[in-house]
Amino acid sequence: MPIGPVDGQQVPRFAGPATFARLPRLDEVSRADVAIVGLPFDAGVSYRPGARFGPAHIRASSRLLRPYHPAVGVSPFASLQVADAGDLALNPFSIDEALGAARDGITALAQDGATVVGLGGDHTLALPALRALAALHGPLAVLHFDAHLDTWDTYFGAPYTHGTPFRRASEEGLIDQERSMHVGIRGPLYSAADLDDDSRLGFAVIRADDYETDGVARAVERMRRRLAGGPVYVSVDIDVLDPSAAPGTGTPEAGGLTSRELLHSLRGLAPTGDQAGLDVVGIDVVEVAPAYDHAEITGIAAAHVVYDLLAVLAATRG
């Protein structure tokens, strides 16, 4: 029987452990189906820093989560043993060392049988996660929610930044180039060649504007069709949301998704009717920078993103 979160009817939500959703620590359970791990690192950012404080902020913002998810119809903490694995120690002065430590830490958790949910931290950390999980599962379909493509080559000559992880992942053979997709892309680019490079690297695109013209249901249909047939890694940069819904991030872009559109899109990955749920084997939620987050708007959105993906895992796994 899984050990769930502290009962909000017994301990007020502003008290209790400082873990995600007030869940048990990893060392308090015999095994974990899902391990939530903090990735406090932001040496790869190109604009506003501060995402190194994101994991603690998301945890603090998760206190209001409750056990039953009515939209998906599951109690994820009752059917999955979810535990908080704390934070990985990532060198703030060496991107190379931090990437290696993140890969090793995620590998250790995944080899113990847990689906790893990374709380960022900046988006550079998607690369070591993909290195770890592709070694276990083979090339992964990447479902990437973001305002930005993150398939640029370098920044100031640096190959490992928060704008380059999916280019490196594609070049290293970590992703399934027939099944990967960006969602929520918008804003200015450096040139039209950015889109050509991105397509060559294996990504289809659902733009933020497509949500306006086609709606959420059509976006979900396109995701499911593209991603079906194998393991999926879900990477959510919180700046996929409009700055009105997520001001606490490093590179905000106008014209983004609402939190309702994002959560509905994630729930669309769950089983429905005669359609199976997608095989999600890894997750990250990144780029939460609390210094810019008044009233916990961004932290609360990020916590709900994690919760909805946990509900998808619970529904898919029965």
Side-chain angles (χ1 to χ4, degrees), residues 101-136:
R103 179 201 60 219
D104 293 346
I106 292 168
T107 296
L109 293 169
Q111 283 180 333
D112 283 342
T115 299
V116 180
V117 179
L119 306 180
D122 78 49
H123 222 155
T124 315
L125 297 161
L127 179 59
L130 287 168
R131 285 172 172 169
L133 297 177
L136 297 175

PDB file of all heavy atoms in Angstrom, residues 101-136:
ATOM      1  N   ALA A 101      26.715  14.938 -13.276  1.00  0.00           N
ATOM      2  CA  ALA A 101      26.089  14.583 -12.000  1.00  0.00           C
ATOM      3  C   ALA A 101      24.589  14.372 -12.156  1.00  0.00           C
ATOM      4  O   ALA A 101      24.004  13.475 -11.532  1.00  0.00           O
ATOM      5  CB  ALA A 101      26.371  15.674 -10.966  1.00  0.00           C
ATOM      6  N   ALA A 102      23.954  15.205 -12.988  1.00  0.00           N
ATOM      7  CA  ALA A 102      22.516  15.031 -13.214  1.00  0.00           C
ATOM      8  C   ALA A 102      22.236  13.703 -13.913  1.00  0.00           C
ATOM      9  O   ALA A 102      21.310  12.970 -13.545  1.00  0.00           O
ATOM     10  CB  ALA A 102      21.985  16.194 -14.044  1.00  0.00           C
ATOM     11  N   ARG A 103      23.030  13.383 -14.941  1.00  0.00           N
ATOM     12  CA  ARG A 103      22.859  12.089 -15.632  1.00  0.00           C
ATOM     13  C   ARG A 103      23.022  10.933 -14.656  1.00  0.00           C
ATOM     14  O   ARG A 103      22.198  10.003 -14.628  1.00  0.00           O
ATOM     15  CB  ARG A 103      23.880  11.965 -16.751  1.00  0.00           C
ATOM     16  CG  ARG A 103      23.817  10.655 -17.533  1.00  0.00           C
ATOM     17  CD  ARG A 103      25.125  10.374 -18.238  1.00  0.00           C
ATOM     18  NE  ARG A 103      26.219  10.261 -17.281  1.00  0.00           N
ATOM     19  CZ  ARG A 103      27.447  10.742 -17.486  1.00  0.00           C
ATOM     20  NH1 ARG A 103      27.758  11.380 -18.600  1.00  0.00           N
ATOM     21  NH2 ARG A 103      28.376  10.598 -16.551  1.00  0.00           N
ATOM     22  N   ASP A 104      24.062  10.972 -13.822  1.00  0.00           N
ATOM     23  CA  ASP A 104      24.312   9.867 -12.892  1.00  0.00           C
ATOM     24  C   ASP A 104      23.197   9.753 -11.857  1.00  0.00           C
ATOM     25  O   ASP A 104      22.767   8.645 -11.511  1.00  0.00           O
ATOM     26  CB  ASP A 104      25.659  10.062 -12.198  1.00  0.00           C
ATOM     27  CG  ASP A 104      26.831   9.944 -13.155  1.00  0.00           C
ATOM     28  OD1 ASP A 104      26.639   9.454 -14.289  1.00  0.00           O
ATOM     29  OD2 ASP A 104      27.944  10.347 -12.765  1.00  0.00           O
ATOM     30  N   GLY A 105      22.731  10.891 -11.342  1.00  0.00           N
ATOM     31  CA  GLY A 105      21.675  10.863 -10.339  1.00  0.00           C
ATOM     32  C   GLY A 105      20.370  10.337 -10.888  1.00  0.00           C
ATOM     33  O   GLY A 105      19.673   9.538 -10.242  1.00  0.00           O
ATOM     34  N   ILE A 106      20.010  10.768 -12.092  1.00  0.00           N
ATOM     35  CA  ILE A 106      18.773  10.301 -12.709  1.00  0.00           C
ATOM     36  C   ILE A 106      18.893   8.822 -13.074  1.00  0.00           C
ATOM     37  O   ILE A 106      17.943   8.044 -12.907  1.00  0.00           O
ATOM     38  CB  ILE A 106      18.441  11.169 -13.925  1.00  0.00           C
ATOM     39  CG1 ILE A 106      18.071  12.580 -13.466  1.00  0.00           C
ATOM     40  CG2 ILE A 106      17.309  10.559 -14.746  1.00  0.00           C
ATOM     41  CD1 ILE A 106      18.004  13.606 -14.581  1.00  0.00           C
ATOM     42  N   THR A 107      20.070   8.410 -13.551  1.00  0.00           N
ATOM     43  CA  THR A 107      20.287   6.994 -13.868  1.00  0.00           C
ATOM     44  C   THR A 107      20.080   6.124 -12.637  1.00  0.00           C
ATOM     45  O   THR A 107      19.418   5.074 -12.699  1.00  0.00           O
ATOM     46  CB  THR A 107      21.712   6.785 -14.411  1.00  0.00           C
ATOM     47  OG1 THR A 107      21.850   7.491 -15.649  1.00  0.00           O
ATOM     48  CG2 THR A 107      21.999   5.313 -14.649  1.00  0.00           C
ATOM     49  N   ALA A 108      20.634   6.539 -11.497  1.00  0.00           N
ATOM     50  CA  ALA A 108      20.510   5.746 -10.271  1.00  0.00           C
ATOM     51  C   ALA A 108      19.051   5.589  -9.861  1.00  0.00           C
ATOM     52  O   ALA A 108      18.614   4.492  -9.464  1.00  0.00           O
ATOM     53  CB  ALA A 108      21.312   6.401  -9.148  1.00  0.00           C
ATOM     54  N   LEU A 109      18.272   6.657  -9.959  1.00  0.00           N
ATOM     55  CA  LEU A 109      16.856   6.576  -9.596  1.00  0.00           C
ATOM     56  C   LEU A 109      16.082   5.708 -10.575  1.00  0.00           C
ATOM     57  O   LEU A 109      15.257   4.877 -10.181  1.00  0.00           O
ATOM     58  CB  LEU A 109      16.250   7.979  -9.551  1.00  0.00           C
ATOM     59  CG  LEU A 109      16.761   8.909  -8.447  1.00  0.00           C
ATOM     60  CD1 LEU A 109      16.282  10.333  -8.690  1.00  0.00           C
ATOM     61  CD2 LEU A 109      16.299   8.417  -7.074  1.00  0.00           C
ATOM     62  N   ALA A 110      16.345   5.870 -11.871  1.00  0.00           N
ATOM     63  CA  ALA A 110      15.620   5.106 -12.885  1.00  0.00           C
ATOM     64  C   ALA A 110      15.979   3.623 -12.844  1.00  0.00           C
ATOM     65  O   ALA A 110      15.123   2.753 -13.066  1.00  0.00           O
ATOM     66  CB  ALA A 110      15.895   5.689 -14.264  1.00  0.00           C
ATOM     67  N   GLN A 111      17.246   3.308 -12.560  1.00  0.00           N
ATOM     68  CA  GLN A 111      17.645   1.903 -12.496  1.00  0.00           C
ATOM     69  C   GLN A 111      16.986   1.184 -11.327  1.00  0.00           C
ATOM     70  O   GLN A 111      16.848  -0.041 -11.356  1.00  0.00           O
ATOM     71  CB  GLN A 111      19.165   1.810 -12.389  1.00  0.00           C
ATOM     72  CG  GLN A 111      19.877   2.058 -13.712  1.00  0.00           C
ATOM     73  CD  GLN A 111      21.379   1.976 -13.600  1.00  0.00           C
ATOM     74  OE1 GLN A 111      21.959   2.213 -12.538  1.00  0.00           O
ATOM     75  NE2 GLN A 111      22.043   1.646 -14.706  1.00  0.00           N
ATOM     76  N   ASP A 112      16.576   1.938 -10.310  1.00  0.00           N
ATOM     77  CA  ASP A 112      15.849   1.343  -9.196  1.00  0.00           C
ATOM     78  C   ASP A 112      14.372   1.156  -9.512  1.00  0.00           C
ATOM     79  O   ASP A 112      13.603   0.741  -8.646  1.00  0.00           O
ATOM     80  CB  ASP A 112      15.999   2.218  -7.942  1.00  0.00           C
ATOM     81  CG  ASP A 112      17.361   2.034  -7.279  1.00  0.00           C
ATOM     82  OD1 ASP A 112      18.034   1.027  -7.571  1.00  0.00           O
ATOM     83  OD2 ASP A 112      17.754   2.894  -6.466  1.00  0.00           O
ATOM     84  N   GLY A 113      13.967   1.491 -10.718  1.00  0.00           N
ATOM     85  CA  GLY A 113      12.606   1.233 -11.169  1.00  0.00           C
ATOM     86  C   GLY A 113      11.669   2.416 -11.110  1.00  0.00           C
ATOM     87  O   GLY A 113      10.479   2.279 -11.418  1.00  0.00           O
ATOM     88  N   ALA A 114      12.157   3.593 -10.731  1.00  0.00           N
ATOM     89  CA  ALA A 114      11.289   4.756 -10.607  1.00  0.00           C
ATOM     90  C   ALA A 114      11.213   5.531 -11.911  1.00  0.00           C
ATOM     91  O   ALA A 114      12.194   5.632 -12.648  1.00  0.00           O
ATOM     92  CB  ALA A 114      11.793   5.680  -9.495  1.00  0.00           C
ATOM     93  N   THR A 115      10.041   6.076 -12.190  1.00  0.00           N
ATOM     94  CA  THR A 115       9.918   7.109 -13.214  1.00  0.00           C
ATOM     95  C   THR A 115      10.369   8.414 -12.577  1.00  0.00           C
ATOM     96  O   THR A 115       9.860   8.808 -11.530  1.00  0.00           O
ATOM     97  CB  THR A 115       8.469   7.233 -13.706  1.00  0.00           C
ATOM     98  OG1 THR A 115       8.067   5.982 -14.276  1.00  0.00           O
ATOM     99  CG2 THR A 115       8.331   8.333 -14.740  1.00  0.00           C
ATOM    100  N   VAL A 116      11.312   9.081 -13.201  1.00  0.00           N
ATOM    101  CA  VAL A 116      11.921  10.265 -12.590  1.00  0.00           C
ATOM    102  C   VAL A 116      11.211  11.523 -13.082  1.00  0.00           C
ATOM    103  O   VAL A 116      11.028  11.724 -14.284  1.00  0.00           O
ATOM    104  CB  VAL A 116      13.423  10.345 -12.924  1.00  0.00           C
ATOM    105  CG1 VAL A 116      14.045  11.585 -12.293  1.00  0.00           C
ATOM    106  CG2 VAL A 116      14.132   9.081 -12.427  1.00  0.00           C
ATOM    107  N   VAL A 117      10.820  12.358 -12.116  1.00  0.00           N
ATOM    108  CA  VAL A 117      10.255  13.671 -12.393  1.00  0.00           C
ATOM    109  C   VAL A 117      11.242  14.708 -11.883  1.00  0.00           C
ATOM    110  O   VAL A 117      11.467  14.820 -10.680  1.00  0.00           O
ATOM    111  CB  VAL A 117       8.891  13.865 -11.708  1.00  0.00           C
ATOM    112  CG1 VAL A 117       8.346  15.268 -11.995  1.00  0.00           C
ATOM    113  CG2 VAL A 117       7.904  12.796 -12.149  1.00  0.00           C
ATOM    114  N   GLY A 118      11.866  15.452 -12.794  1.00  0.00           N
ATOM    115  CA  GLY A 118      12.848  16.446 -12.417  1.00  0.00           C
ATOM    116  C   GLY A 118      12.213  17.814 -12.257  1.00  0.00           C
ATOM    117  O   GLY A 118      11.474  18.272 -13.127  1.00  0.00           O
ATOM    118  N   LEU A 119      12.503  18.464 -11.126  1.00  0.00           N
ATOM    119  CA  LEU A 119      12.067  19.835 -10.893  1.00  0.00           C
ATOM    120  C   LEU A 119      13.264  20.755 -11.120  1.00  0.00           C
ATOM    121  O   LEU A 119      14.253  20.691 -10.392  1.00  0.00           O
ATOM    122  CB  LEU A 119      11.558  20.013  -9.453  1.00  0.00           C
ATOM    123  CG  LEU A 119      10.465  19.067  -8.952  1.00  0.00           C
ATOM    124  CD1 LEU A 119      10.103  19.417  -7.507  1.00  0.00           C
ATOM    125  CD2 LEU A 119       9.234  19.133  -9.845  1.00  0.00           C
ATOM    126  N   GLY A 120      13.172  21.596 -12.184  1.00  0.00           N
ATOM    127  CA  GLY A 120      14.302  22.486 -12.474  1.00  0.00           C
ATOM    128  C   GLY A 120      14.200  23.798 -11.746  1.00  0.00           C
ATOM    129  O   GLY A 120      13.184  24.092 -11.122  1.00  0.00           O
ATOM    130  N   GLY A 121      15.327  24.522 -11.816  1.00  0.00           N
ATOM    131  CA  GLY A 121      16.439  24.313 -12.705  1.00  0.00           C
ATOM    132  C   GLY A 121      16.136  24.789 -14.129  1.00  0.00           C
ATOM    133  O   GLY A 121      15.015  25.021 -14.507  1.00  0.00           O
ATOM    134  N   ASP A 122      17.221  25.011 -14.879  1.00  0.00           N
ATOM    135  CA  ASP A 122      17.024  25.472 -16.249  1.00  0.00           C
ATOM    136  C   ASP A 122      16.988  24.293 -17.214  1.00  0.00           C
ATOM    137  O   ASP A 122      17.233  23.142 -16.847  1.00  0.00           O
ATOM    138  CB  ASP A 122      18.060  26.535 -16.620  1.00  0.00           C
ATOM    139  CG  ASP A 122      19.450  25.994 -16.952  1.00  0.00           C
ATOM    140  OD1 ASP A 122      19.559  25.057 -17.757  1.00  0.00           O
ATOM    141  OD2 ASP A 122      20.446  26.536 -16.424  1.00  0.00           O
ATOM    142  N   HIS A 123      16.667  24.611 -18.486  1.00  0.00           N
ATOM    143  CA  HIS A 123      16.360  23.555 -19.444  1.00  0.00           C
ATOM    144  C   HIS A 123      17.588  22.809 -19.945  1.00  0.00           C
ATOM    145  O   HIS A 123      17.455  21.790 -20.623  1.00  0.00           O
ATOM    146  CB  HIS A 123      15.573  24.128 -20.622  1.00  0.00           C
ATOM    147  CG  HIS A 123      14.442  23.254 -21.057  1.00  0.00           C
ATOM    148  ND1 HIS A 123      13.322  23.722 -21.704  1.00  0.00           N
ATOM    149  CD2 HIS A 123      14.240  21.915 -20.922  1.00  0.00           C
ATOM    150  CE1 HIS A 123      12.504  22.724 -21.953  1.00  0.00           C
ATOM    151  NE2 HIS A 123      13.037  21.613 -21.496  1.00  0.00           N
ATOM    152  N   THR A 124      18.776  23.291 -19.609  1.00  0.00           N
ATOM    153  CA  THR A 124      19.983  22.529 -19.928  1.00  0.00           C
ATOM    154  C   THR A 124      19.868  21.105 -19.410  1.00  0.00           C
ATOM    155  O   THR A 124      20.407  20.163 -19.996  1.00  0.00           O
ATOM    156  CB  THR A 124      21.219  23.207 -19.289  1.00  0.00           C
ATOM    157  OG1 THR A 124      21.166  24.612 -19.511  1.00  0.00           O
ATOM    158  CG2 THR A 124      22.512  22.649 -19.853  1.00  0.00           C
ATOM    159  N   LEU A 125      19.134  20.943 -18.301  1.00  0.00           N
ATOM    160  CA  LEU A 125      19.080  19.666 -17.595  1.00  0.00           C
ATOM    161  C   LEU A 125      18.251  18.606 -18.306  1.00  0.00           C
ATOM    162  O   LEU A 125      18.295  17.433 -17.937  1.00  0.00           O
ATOM    163  CB  LEU A 125      18.548  19.889 -16.186  1.00  0.00           C
ATOM    164  CG  LEU A 125      19.458  20.790 -15.333  1.00  0.00           C
ATOM    165  CD1 LEU A 125      18.712  21.367 -14.153  1.00  0.00           C
ATOM    166  CD2 LEU A 125      20.694  20.046 -14.900  1.00  0.00           C
ATOM    167  N   ALA A 126      17.516  18.989 -19.350  1.00  0.00           N
ATOM    168  CA  ALA A 126      16.818  17.965 -20.142  1.00  0.00           C
ATOM    169  C   ALA A 126      17.805  17.041 -20.838  1.00  0.00           C
ATOM    170  O   ALA A 126      17.513  15.860 -21.049  1.00  0.00           O
ATOM    171  CB  ALA A 126      15.895  18.627 -21.165  1.00  0.00           C
ATOM    172  N   LEU A 127      18.980  17.565 -21.188  1.00  0.00           N
ATOM    173  CA  LEU A 127      19.957  16.743 -21.907  1.00  0.00           C
ATOM    174  C   LEU A 127      20.469  15.585 -21.054  1.00  0.00           C
ATOM    175  O   LEU A 127      20.440  14.429 -21.513  1.00  0.00           O
ATOM    176  CB  LEU A 127      21.104  17.607 -22.421  1.00  0.00           C
ATOM    177  CG  LEU A 127      22.215  16.855 -23.169  1.00  0.00           C
ATOM    178  CD1 LEU A 127      21.669  16.126 -24.385  1.00  0.00           C
ATOM    179  CD2 LEU A 127      23.326  17.825 -23.587  1.00  0.00           C
ATOM    180  N   PRO A 128      20.956  15.803 -19.819  1.00  0.00           N
ATOM    181  CA  PRO A 128      21.403  14.648 -19.036  1.00  0.00           C
ATOM    182  C   PRO A 128      20.270  13.690 -18.704  1.00  0.00           C
ATOM    183  O   PRO A 128      20.500  12.479 -18.590  1.00  0.00           O
ATOM    184  CB  PRO A 128      22.003  15.275 -17.777  1.00  0.00           C
ATOM    185  CG  PRO A 128      21.424  16.634 -17.691  1.00  0.00           C
ATOM    186  CD  PRO A 128      21.238  17.066 -19.124  1.00  0.00           C
ATOM    187  N   ALA A 129      19.047  14.204 -18.559  1.00  0.00           N
ATOM    188  CA  ALA A 129      17.918  13.298 -18.326  1.00  0.00           C
ATOM    189  C   ALA A 129      17.709  12.391 -19.524  1.00  0.00           C
ATOM    190  O   ALA A 129      17.498  11.175 -19.379  1.00  0.00           O
ATOM    191  CB  ALA A 129      16.658  14.107 -18.033  1.00  0.00           C
ATOM    192  N   LEU A 130      17.772  12.947 -20.722  1.00  0.00           N
ATOM    193  CA  LEU A 130      17.612  12.129 -21.926  1.00  0.00           C
ATOM    194  C   LEU A 130      18.776  11.161 -22.095  1.00  0.00           C
ATOM    195  O   LEU A 130      18.580  10.020 -22.539  1.00  0.00           O
ATOM    196  CB  LEU A 130      17.476  13.027 -23.150  1.00  0.00           C
ATOM    197  CG  LEU A 130      16.141  13.762 -23.265  1.00  0.00           C
ATOM    198  CD1 LEU A 130      16.206  14.847 -24.331  1.00  0.00           C
ATOM    199  CD2 LEU A 130      15.013  12.780 -23.567  1.00  0.00           C
ATOM    200  N   ARG A 131      19.986  11.583 -21.741  1.00  0.00           N
ATOM    201  CA  ARG A 131      21.124  10.661 -21.802  1.00  0.00           C
ATOM    202  C   ARG A 131      20.893   9.471 -20.875  1.00  0.00           C
ATOM    203  O   ARG A 131      21.158   8.315 -21.243  1.00  0.00           O
ATOM    204  CB  ARG A 131      22.398  11.396 -21.409  1.00  0.00           C
ATOM    205  CG  ARG A 131      22.940  12.344 -22.472  1.00  0.00           C
ATOM    206  CD  ARG A 131      24.086  13.188 -21.941  1.00  0.00           C
ATOM    207  NE  ARG A 131      24.731  13.953 -23.002  1.00  0.00           N
ATOM    208  CZ  ARG A 131      25.611  14.927 -22.782  1.00  0.00           C
ATOM    209  NH1 ARG A 131      25.945  15.258 -21.540  1.00  0.00           N
ATOM    210  NH2 ARG A 131      26.161  15.567 -23.796  1.00  0.00           N
ATOM    211  N   ALA A 132      20.406   9.744 -19.673  1.00  0.00           N
ATOM    212  CA  ALA A 132      20.175   8.669 -18.703  1.00  0.00           C
ATOM    213  C   ALA A 132      19.071   7.723 -19.170  1.00  0.00           C
ATOM    214  O   ALA A 132      19.219   6.497 -19.131  1.00  0.00           O
ATOM    215  CB  ALA A 132      19.835   9.272 -17.341  1.00  0.00           C
ATOM    216  N   LEU A 133      17.942   8.284 -19.620  1.00  0.00           N
ATOM    217  CA  LEU A 133      16.781   7.451 -19.927  1.00  0.00           C
ATOM    218  C   LEU A 133      16.897   6.763 -21.283  1.00  0.00           C
ATOM    219  O   LEU A 133      16.406   5.645 -21.452  1.00  0.00           O
ATOM    220  CB  LEU A 133      15.520   8.304 -19.847  1.00  0.00           C
ATOM    221  CG  LEU A 133      15.239   8.866 -18.445  1.00  0.00           C
ATOM    222  CD1 LEU A 133      14.012   9.765 -18.466  1.00  0.00           C
ATOM    223  CD2 LEU A 133      15.075   7.753 -17.414  1.00  0.00           C
ATOM    224  N   ALA A 134      17.566   7.394 -22.252  1.00  0.00           N
ATOM    225  CA  ALA A 134      17.768   6.722 -23.536  1.00  0.00           C
ATOM    226  C   ALA A 134      18.680   5.520 -23.390  1.00  0.00           C
ATOM    227  O   ALA A 134      18.553   4.534 -24.133  1.00  0.00           O
ATOM    228  CB  ALA A 134      18.330   7.703 -24.562  1.00  0.00           C
ATOM    229  N   ALA A 135      19.599   5.566 -22.422  1.00  0.00           N
ATOM    230  CA  ALA A 135      20.460   4.406 -22.181  1.00  0.00           C
ATOM    231  C   ALA A 135      19.654   3.213 -21.684  1.00  0.00           C
ATOM    232  O   ALA A 135      20.045   2.060 -21.892  1.00  0.00           O
ATOM    233  CB  ALA A 135      21.547   4.774 -21.165  1.00  0.00           C
ATOM    234  N   LEU A 136      18.504   3.482 -21.048  1.00  0.00           N
ATOM    235  CA  LEU A 136      17.652   2.411 -20.516  1.00  0.00           C
ATOM    236  C   LEU A 136      16.557   1.991 -21.504  1.00  0.00           C
ATOM    237  O   LEU A 136      16.183   0.822 -21.550  1.00  0.00           O
ATOM    238  CB  LEU A 136      16.996   2.865 -19.208  1.00  0.00           C
ATOM    239  CG  LEU A 136      17.934   3.171 -18.036  1.00  0.00           C
ATOM    240  CD1 LEU A 136      17.139   3.728 -16.862  1.00  0.00           C
ATOM    241  CD2 LEU A 136      18.694   1.924 -17.619  1.00  0.00           C
TER     242      LEU A 136
END
